[in-house]
Amino acid sequence: MASTATCTTTCSDSELTEFIIPDFFSDFRYPMRLNPHCDVVSRACEEWLCSEAHLVEPQKTRYTSLLPGYFASSCYPDADAFHLKVCADFLGWSFTVDDWLEIERSDVNDAWEIRDCCMSAYRDPVNFQTDRYTGRMCKSYVYVLRHAHILYHLTVFRYFGRYRETGGPGCTERFIHAMDLWFISAAKEVDNRAKGHINDVESYIELRRDLSGCKSCFALIEFANQIDLPEEVVSHPVIKAMEEATNDFVSWSNDIFSYNQEQSHNSTHNLVAVLMLDQGLDLQGAIDRCGQLCRISLQRFEENRAVLPSWGEEIDKDVAIYVLGLQNWIAGPLQWTFTSARYFGKDAQIVKRERTVKLLPKRPS
């Protein structure tokens, strides 16, 4: 999802024309679910994103084809329409900011300015003023939605203003903190790219766990389900281990899916590329190793679920909702990957069925 220094391809790798992705579906144990409000929220989210991010073609088609509403519906299948819309808007906003930092930014100072702008908007979404659309999209305006030939004039708030309407104090602060971690890691990645620095496996994993964006999305599990877990729960080692396992599965599977596009841009910010460079694996060996790490992540998730402690009947109900939310975040991105055009374009269903990815040609550096 993000990129860094130029990768030197070995002679044997340059002769490859395709690779095989792991079989994620044959023995996948979690159901693929979809929120019943998916269609109407998806349309509203696309209109909001195009308007607020000032998207014109071809960017408009590019970002609406990423289906942020479907992504949110896959990851938050039990949310009501209001909470699902906030999650969808956040994910749509994340796509644009992530790509903007990844592709268009090489100045780390600019990356830090984006962080300062957005964090100020999170801290005071009503009064904070900015000309940056990345910050404005955290604030508020009047929205007009057409559905079934009926116009609905909805006075709503940009996603974080709406988040604050119902989000509990704990999950609100967790969301803000997680976003700060994301912006800090994004700035570090921009700096790495500018300096030509390539991570080793250990440092890449540490950076990727913040840069994946999963931590803020986990806070949205609480928001979407209208719960607010106590600190003694969210800080417990078992809960932390389950979050990390979920984060790792999402990150490593995403690195497999995004590798082809990233290698075509000569990017090494991807576990597949890092394994090839740091451990001397060939491309298929690195893909297979990533697949193994995904399976290990699922094992860790289930091992920790089996030893969840009890905090009492009422809190345990909310914990069960949160754990189910983590499970949905394992299944949801997988479902969305092969529905959207993010990584495989119009061939997503073919890749899902046949598991073969044809390598794209490298672009000039």
Side-chain angles (χ1 to χ4, degrees):
M1 297 171 73
S3 58
T4 183
T6 300
C7 175
T8 301
T9 306
T10 65
C11 179
S12 59
D13 291 333
S14 66
E15 296 170 357
L16 296 176
T17 60
E18 62 187 32
F19 61 90
I20 307 298
I21 66 172
D23 183 359
F24 285 99
F25 293 96
S26 291
D27 57 356
F28 192 73
R29 63 185 301 171
Y30 306 131
M32 303 286 183
R33 305 174 62 206
L34 196 65
N35 192 292
H37 303 292
C38 178
D39 289 343
V40 66
V41 167
S42 293
R43 286 191 290 270
C45 177
E46 290 172 5
E47 291 181 27
W48 176 83
L49 182 63
C50 292
S51 173
E52 287 299 291
H54 304 292
L55 298 180
V56 295
E57 295 297 353
Q59 289 83 5
K60 182 177 179 179
T61 297
R62 176 187 177 189
Y63 284 109
T64 56
S65 70
L66 299 185
L67 308 180
Y70 187 94
F71 193 4
S73 295
S74 298
C75 296
Y76 307 102
D78 299 311
D80 62 27
F82 173 85
H83 291 83
L84 181 65
K85 176 64 164 52
V86 174
C87 297
D89 288 350
F90 168 72
L91 291 171
W93 171 88
S94 298
F95 287 144
T96 63
V97 177
D98 182 63
D99 284 352
W100 197 71
L101 283 167
E102 175 184 344
I103 297 170
E104 300 182 35
R105 294 297 96 189
S106 60
D107 185 347
V108 68
N109 292 324
D110 203 9
W112 284 114
E113 287 177 6
I114 295 171
R115 178 248 185 173
D116 292 343
C117 172
C118 291
M119 293 309 299
S120 295
Y122 289 137
R123 291 296 180 188
D124 190 0
V126 176
N127 297 312
F128 176 68
Q129 300 299 320
T130 180
D131 291 330
R132 286 185 181 271
Y133 79 82
T134 50
R136 289 202 315 271
M137 291 171 79
C138 305
K139 293 171 59 60
S140 65
Y141 77 131
V142 176
Y143 189 78
V144 180
L145 168 66
R146 180 184 293 275
H147 176 55
H149 307 293
I150 301 174
L151 280 177
Y152 296 91
H153 294 265
L154 306 176
T155 302
V156 300
F157 292 88
R158 293 177 176 129
Y159 72 83
F160 196 64
R162 282 176 278 140
Y163 184 114
R164 282 187 174 274
E165 287 186 10
T166 62
C171 71
T172 298
E173 188 57 38
R174 283 188 280 278
F175 178 87
I176 294 173
H177 177 66
M179 286 307 301
D180 200 20
L181 293 176
W182 184 84
F183 281 113
I184 291 169
S185 63
K188 289 178 180 177
E189 192 279 321
V190 170
D191 193 41
N192 284 344
R193 183 167 70 241
K195 294 177 178 177
H197 173 71
I198 300 175
N199 297 98
D200 58 23
V201 171
E202 184 178 353
S203 62
Y204 175 80
I205 288 174
E206 181 180 357
L207 181 65
R208 189 71 166 91
R209 284 172 175 161
D210 287 339
L211 194 57
S212 70
C214 284
K215 293 178 180 180
S216 54
C217 294
F218 296 164
L220 284 172
I221 295 172
E222 296 180 75
F223 166 80
N225 291 283
Q226 302 176 64
I227 61 175
D228 198 31
L229 297 173
E231 181 61 27
E232 64 184 293
V233 172
V234 296
S235 63
H236 195 280
V238 171
I239 295 294
K240 289 295 186 186
M242 296 185 75
E243 291 174 341
E244 186 176 278
T246 304
N247 193 344
D248 286 354
F249 179 84
V250 174
S251 297
W252 311 149
S253 59
N254 179 267
D255 279 7
I256 292 171
F257 303 142
S258 65
Y259 173 76
N260 195 24
Q261 291 185 3
E262 292 176 358
Q263 66 82 27
S264 74
H265 287 88
N266 299 290
S267 165
T268 59
H269 190 85
N270 182 295
L271 185 59
V272 176
V274 171
L275 285 167
M276 292 169 68
L277 290 165
D278 192 49
Q279 298 187 1
L281 299 175
D282 63 14
L283 173 56
Q284 190 60 56
I287 293 286
D288 294 343
R289 176 58 177 155
C290 280
Q292 181 185 30
L293 291 174
C294 288
R295 291 190 293 273
I296 292 171
S297 297
L298 295 180
Q299 293 170 3
R300 286 160 45 210
F301 184 84
E302 286 302 323
E303 288 168 358
N304 281 280
R305 172 147 48 183
V307 294
L308 266 174
S310 173
W311 290 272
E313 183 177 356
E314 290 304 312
I315 294 178
D316 286 355
K317 290 179 182 178
D318 288 348
V319 171
I321 291 171
Y322 186 69
V323 170
L324 178 59
L326 293 175
Q327 176 183 300
N328 291 332
W329 252 96
I330 292 172
L334 201 57
Q335 179 174 216
W336 165 81
T337 292
F338 293 98
T339 303
S340 80
R342 179 67 163 174
Y343 302 116
F344 305 116
K346 60 181 178 57
D347 295 327
Q349 287 299 311
I350 297 174
V351 173
K352 179 181 179 180
R353 181 177 65 252
E354 298 181 1
R355 296 169 43 210
T356 299
V357 179
K358 296 185 182 302
L359 281 173
L360 296 168
K362 290 188 181 293
R363 301 185 181 185
S365 300

PDB file of all heavy atoms in Angstrom, residues 184-186 188-189 192 199 202-212 269:
ATOM      1  N   ILE A 184       2.336   9.024  11.643  1.00  0.00           N
ATOM      2  CA  ILE A 184       3.765   8.984  11.971  1.00  0.00           C
ATOM      3  C   ILE A 184       4.472   7.925  11.126  1.00  0.00           C
ATOM      4  O   ILE A 184       5.542   8.176  10.554  1.00  0.00           O
ATOM      5  CB  ILE A 184       3.966   8.705  13.474  1.00  0.00           C
ATOM      6  CG1 ILE A 184       3.499   9.912  14.304  1.00  0.00           C
ATOM      7  CG2 ILE A 184       5.430   8.386  13.782  1.00  0.00           C
ATOM      8  CD1 ILE A 184       3.417   9.639  15.798  1.00  0.00           C
ATOM      9  N   SER A 185       3.865   6.748  11.018  1.00  0.00           N
ATOM     10  CA  SER A 185       4.482   5.681  10.216  1.00  0.00           C
ATOM     11  C   SER A 185       4.497   6.050   8.736  1.00  0.00           C
ATOM     12  O   SER A 185       5.453   5.722   8.009  1.00  0.00           O
ATOM     13  CB  SER A 185       3.750   4.355  10.433  1.00  0.00           C
ATOM     14  OG  SER A 185       2.408   4.423   9.992  1.00  0.00           O
ATOM     15  N   ALA A 186       3.454   6.752   8.268  1.00  0.00           N
ATOM     16  CA  ALA A 186       3.416   7.181   6.873  1.00  0.00           C
ATOM     17  C   ALA A 186       4.540   8.182   6.582  1.00  0.00           C
ATOM     18  O   ALA A 186       5.188   8.129   5.530  1.00  0.00           O
ATOM     19  CB  ALA A 186       2.062   7.787   6.532  1.00  0.00           C
ATOM     20  N   LYS A 188       7.373   8.347   8.207  1.00  0.00           N
ATOM     21  CA  LYS A 188       8.621   7.576   8.212  1.00  0.00           C
ATOM     22  C   LYS A 188       8.823   6.872   6.875  1.00  0.00           C
ATOM     23  O   LYS A 188       9.945   6.811   6.348  1.00  0.00           O
ATOM     24  CB  LYS A 188       8.596   6.535   9.338  1.00  0.00           C
ATOM     25  CG  LYS A 188       8.709   7.130  10.739  1.00  0.00           C
ATOM     26  CD  LYS A 188       8.627   6.030  11.785  1.00  0.00           C
ATOM     27  CE  LYS A 188       8.736   6.592  13.201  1.00  0.00           C
ATOM     28  NZ  LYS A 188       8.592   5.528  14.229  1.00  0.00           N
ATOM     29  N   GLU A 189       7.741   6.350   6.316  1.00  0.00           N
ATOM     30  CA  GLU A 189       7.839   5.645   5.043  1.00  0.00           C
ATOM     31  C   GLU A 189       8.194   6.604   3.910  1.00  0.00           C
ATOM     32  O   GLU A 189       8.997   6.270   3.026  1.00  0.00           O
ATOM     33  CB  GLU A 189       6.518   4.927   4.770  1.00  0.00           C
ATOM     34  CG  GLU A 189       6.568   3.939   3.633  1.00  0.00           C
ATOM     35  CD  GLU A 189       6.447   4.629   2.284  1.00  0.00           C
ATOM     36  OE1 GLU A 189       5.669   5.592   2.163  1.00  0.00           O
ATOM     37  OE2 GLU A 189       7.154   4.208   1.353  1.00  0.00           O
ATOM     38  N   ASN A 192      11.805   7.191   4.293  1.00  0.00           N
ATOM     39  CA  ASN A 192      12.547   6.025   3.800  1.00  0.00           C
ATOM     40  C   ASN A 192      12.660   6.057   2.278  1.00  0.00           C
ATOM     41  O   ASN A 192      13.730   5.793   1.707  1.00  0.00           O
ATOM     42  CB  ASN A 192      11.850   4.735   4.222  1.00  0.00           C
ATOM     43  CG  ASN A 192      12.073   4.391   5.677  1.00  0.00           C
ATOM     44  OD1 ASN A 192      12.970   4.931   6.319  1.00  0.00           O
ATOM     45  ND2 ASN A 192      11.260   3.497   6.212  1.00  0.00           N
ATOM     46  N   ASN A 199      13.860  -1.487   4.415  1.00  0.00           N
ATOM     47  CA  ASN A 199      13.728  -2.147   5.706  1.00  0.00           C
ATOM     48  C   ASN A 199      14.172  -3.596   5.654  1.00  0.00           C
ATOM     49  O   ASN A 199      14.028  -4.274   4.629  1.00  0.00           O
ATOM     50  CB  ASN A 199      12.268  -2.112   6.183  1.00  0.00           C
ATOM     51  CG  ASN A 199      11.756  -0.710   6.425  1.00  0.00           C
ATOM     52  OD1 ASN A 199      11.093  -0.126   5.586  1.00  0.00           O
ATOM     53  ND2 ASN A 199      12.059  -0.179   7.594  1.00  0.00           N
ATOM     54  N   GLU A 202      12.394  -7.494  10.227  1.00  0.00           N
ATOM     55  CA  GLU A 202      11.945  -7.108  11.570  1.00  0.00           C
ATOM     56  C   GLU A 202      11.447  -5.661  11.614  1.00  0.00           C
ATOM     57  O   GLU A 202      10.367  -5.380  12.150  1.00  0.00           O
ATOM     58  CB  GLU A 202      13.080  -7.298  12.578  1.00  0.00           C
ATOM     59  CG  GLU A 202      12.678  -7.003  14.016  1.00  0.00           C
ATOM     60  CD  GLU A 202      13.810  -7.258  14.996  1.00  0.00           C
ATOM     61  OE1 GLU A 202      14.857  -7.791  14.580  1.00  0.00           O
ATOM     62  OE2 GLU A 202      13.636  -6.930  16.193  1.00  0.00           O
ATOM     63  N   SER A 203      12.215  -4.741  11.047  1.00  0.00           N
ATOM     64  CA  SER A 203      11.810  -3.337  11.086  1.00  0.00           C
ATOM     65  C   SER A 203      10.609  -3.093  10.180  1.00  0.00           C
ATOM     66  O   SER A 203       9.759  -2.231  10.477  1.00  0.00           O
ATOM     67  CB  SER A 203      12.973  -2.427  10.691  1.00  0.00           C
ATOM     68  OG  SER A 203      13.396  -2.667   9.368  1.00  0.00           O
ATOM     69  N   TYR A 204      10.491  -3.851   9.091  1.00  0.00           N
ATOM     70  CA  TYR A 204       9.331  -3.707   8.219  1.00  0.00           C
ATOM     71  C   TYR A 204       8.059  -4.125   8.953  1.00  0.00           C
ATOM     72  O   TYR A 204       7.031  -3.437   8.885  1.00  0.00           O
ATOM     73  CB  TYR A 204       9.484  -4.542   6.950  1.00  0.00           C
ATOM     74  CG  TYR A 204       8.242  -4.506   6.095  1.00  0.00           C
ATOM     75  CD1 TYR A 204       7.990  -3.416   5.268  1.00  0.00           C
ATOM     76  CD2 TYR A 204       7.305  -5.529   6.152  1.00  0.00           C
ATOM     77  CE1 TYR A 204       6.832  -3.353   4.514  1.00  0.00           C
ATOM     78  CE2 TYR A 204       6.149  -5.482   5.389  1.00  0.00           C
ATOM     79  CZ  TYR A 204       5.916  -4.390   4.579  1.00  0.00           C
ATOM     80  OH  TYR A 204       4.747  -4.335   3.839  1.00  0.00           O
ATOM     81  N   ILE A 205       8.119  -5.254   9.649  1.00  0.00           N
ATOM     82  CA  ILE A 205       6.945  -5.728  10.376  1.00  0.00           C
ATOM     83  C   ILE A 205       6.511  -4.716  11.423  1.00  0.00           C
ATOM     84  O   ILE A 205       5.316  -4.418  11.565  1.00  0.00           O
ATOM     85  CB  ILE A 205       7.236  -7.102  11.021  1.00  0.00           C
ATOM     86  CG1 ILE A 205       7.297  -8.181   9.936  1.00  0.00           C
ATOM     87  CG2 ILE A 205       6.190  -7.446  12.072  1.00  0.00           C
ATOM     88  CD1 ILE A 205       7.723  -9.547  10.445  1.00  0.00           C
ATOM     89  N   GLU A 206       7.462  -4.147  12.135  1.00  0.00           N
ATOM     90  CA  GLU A 206       7.135  -3.146  13.155  1.00  0.00           C
ATOM     91  C   GLU A 206       6.455  -1.930  12.532  1.00  0.00           C
ATOM     92  O   GLU A 206       5.437  -1.436  13.047  1.00  0.00           O
ATOM     93  CB  GLU A 206       8.407  -2.714  13.884  1.00  0.00           C
ATOM     94  CG  GLU A 206       8.162  -1.697  14.991  1.00  0.00           C
ATOM     95  CD  GLU A 206       9.449  -1.297  15.694  1.00  0.00           C
ATOM     96  OE1 GLU A 206      10.515  -1.838  15.360  1.00  0.00           O
ATOM     97  OE2 GLU A 206       9.381  -0.428  16.587  1.00  0.00           O
ATOM     98  N   LEU A 207       6.987  -1.437  11.421  1.00  0.00           N
ATOM     99  CA  LEU A 207       6.403  -0.282  10.753  1.00  0.00           C
ATOM    100  C   LEU A 207       5.047  -0.623  10.150  1.00  0.00           C
ATOM    101  O   LEU A 207       4.088   0.155  10.252  1.00  0.00           O
ATOM    102  CB  LEU A 207       7.349   0.215   9.660  1.00  0.00           C
ATOM    103  CG  LEU A 207       6.908   1.450   8.862  1.00  0.00           C
ATOM    104  CD1 LEU A 207       6.847   2.678   9.765  1.00  0.00           C
ATOM    105  CD2 LEU A 207       7.857   1.694   7.684  1.00  0.00           C
ATOM    106  N   ARG A 208       4.930  -1.783   9.554  1.00  0.00           N
ATOM    107  CA  ARG A 208       3.703  -2.169   8.827  1.00  0.00           C
ATOM    108  C   ARG A 208       2.514  -2.285   9.760  1.00  0.00           C
ATOM    109  O   ARG A 208       1.369  -2.014   9.354  1.00  0.00           O
ATOM    110  CB  ARG A 208       3.951  -3.499   8.110  1.00  0.00           C
ATOM    111  CG  ARG A 208       2.828  -3.909   7.149  1.00  0.00           C
ATOM    112  CD  ARG A 208       2.816  -3.018   5.934  1.00  0.00           C
ATOM    113  NE  ARG A 208       1.981  -3.590   4.878  1.00  0.00           N
ATOM    114  CZ  ARG A 208       0.680  -3.336   4.706  1.00  0.00           C
ATOM    115  NH1 ARG A 208       0.050  -2.515   5.526  1.00  0.00           N
ATOM    116  NH2 ARG A 208       0.010  -3.889   3.711  1.00  0.00           N
ATOM    117  N   ARG A 209       2.724  -2.697  10.984  1.00  0.00           N
ATOM    118  CA  ARG A 209       1.603  -2.853  11.913  1.00  0.00           C
ATOM    119  C   ARG A 209       0.920  -1.530  12.224  1.00  0.00           C
ATOM    120  O   ARG A 209      -0.268  -1.508  12.537  1.00  0.00           O
ATOM    121  CB  ARG A 209       2.078  -3.545  13.193  1.00  0.00           C
ATOM    122  CG  ARG A 209       2.283  -5.045  13.008  1.00  0.00           C
ATOM    123  CD  ARG A 209       2.939  -5.694  14.198  1.00  0.00           C
ATOM    124  NE  ARG A 209       3.009  -7.150  14.024  1.00  0.00           N
ATOM    125  CZ  ARG A 209       3.828  -7.953  14.698  1.00  0.00           C
ATOM    126  NH1 ARG A 209       4.679  -7.429  15.602  1.00  0.00           N
ATOM    127  NH2 ARG A 209       3.822  -9.248  14.481  1.00  0.00           N
ATOM    128  N   ASP A 210       1.649  -0.426  12.136  1.00  0.00           N
ATOM    129  CA  ASP A 210       1.035   0.900  12.279  1.00  0.00           C
ATOM    130  C   ASP A 210       0.541   1.416  10.935  1.00  0.00           C
ATOM    131  O   ASP A 210      -0.519   2.043  10.846  1.00  0.00           O
ATOM    132  CB  ASP A 210       2.035   1.897  12.867  1.00  0.00           C
ATOM    133  CG  ASP A 210       2.297   1.674  14.346  1.00  0.00           C
ATOM    134  OD1 ASP A 210       1.454   1.041  15.015  1.00  0.00           O
ATOM    135  OD2 ASP A 210       3.355   2.115  14.831  1.00  0.00           O
ATOM    136  N   LEU A 211       1.296   1.148   9.876  1.00  0.00           N
ATOM    137  CA  LEU A 211       0.978   1.697   8.565  1.00  0.00           C
ATOM    138  C   LEU A 211      -0.186   0.977   7.902  1.00  0.00           C
ATOM    139  O   LEU A 211      -0.790   1.513   6.966  1.00  0.00           O
ATOM    140  CB  LEU A 211       2.219   1.631   7.666  1.00  0.00           C
ATOM    141  CG  LEU A 211       2.204   2.442   6.370  1.00  0.00           C
ATOM    142  CD1 LEU A 211       1.942   3.918   6.652  1.00  0.00           C
ATOM    143  CD2 LEU A 211       3.521   2.268   5.625  1.00  0.00           C
ATOM    144  N   SER A 212      -0.545  -0.200   8.363  1.00  0.00           N
ATOM    145  CA  SER A 212      -1.666  -0.933   7.775  1.00  0.00           C
ATOM    146  C   SER A 212      -2.984  -0.193   7.939  1.00  0.00           C
ATOM    147  O   SER A 212      -3.911  -0.381   7.148  1.00  0.00           O
ATOM    148  CB  SER A 212      -1.787  -2.319   8.417  1.00  0.00           C
ATOM    149  OG  SER A 212      -2.240  -2.202   9.759  1.00  0.00           O
ATOM    150  N   HIS A 269       8.314  -1.518  -0.438  1.00  0.00           N
ATOM    151  CA  HIS A 269       7.569  -1.491   0.827  1.00  0.00           C
ATOM    152  C   HIS A 269       6.461  -2.530   0.763  1.00  0.00           C
ATOM    153  O   HIS A 269       5.270  -2.235   0.593  1.00  0.00           O
ATOM    154  CB  HIS A 269       6.996  -0.109   1.136  1.00  0.00           C
ATOM    155  CG  HIS A 269       6.464  -0.043   2.530  1.00  0.00           C
ATOM    156  ND1 HIS A 269       7.269   0.249   3.625  1.00  0.00           N
ATOM    157  CD2 HIS A 269       5.239  -0.301   3.027  1.00  0.00           C
ATOM    158  CE1 HIS A 269       6.536   0.181   4.725  1.00  0.00           C
ATOM    159  NE2 HIS A 269       5.298  -0.143   4.380  1.00  0.00           N
TER     160      HIS A 269
END
